[in-house]
Amino acid sequence: MTPLFATLTALGAALRDRLRDLRDEPERGSLSVEQVIITVALIGIAVALVAVIANAVSSRSAQIQ
């Protein structure tokens, strides 16, 4: 019975430590406003670049024919 009690006590202590660590860092894993703005800007740049490349390819293919 004593080894079972010791194991359960150690497991409880480990779980308490993990919960305490999670409570100490409430913003862990959350996105900041800056990250969202940068991501939206990069997506906009990528879409604009694809549009420019598609336009260039279309105009070059028209010149070939």
Side-chain angles (χ1 to χ4, degrees):
M1 190 70 167
T2 303
L4 177 62
F5 182 70
T7 303
L8 291 175
T9 303
L11 180 62
L15 288 174
R16 276 193 307 272
D17 287 342
R18 287 189 65 181
L19 284 173
R20 186 179 309 119
D21 289 342
L22 290 174
R23 286 187 190 135
D24 289 342
E25 297 180 37
E27 294 183 13
R28 194 179 114 193
S30 65
L31 291 177
S32 66
V33 175
E34 292 91 10
Q35 288 174 326
V36 172
I37 291 172
I38 290 170
T39 303
V40 169
L42 288 175
I43 291 172
I45 291 169
V47 168
L49 186 60
V50 168
V52 167
I53 291 172
N55 190 15
V57 168
S58 296
S59 68
R60 297 284 180 184
S61 68
Q63 289 177 355
I64 293 173
Q65 296 175 355

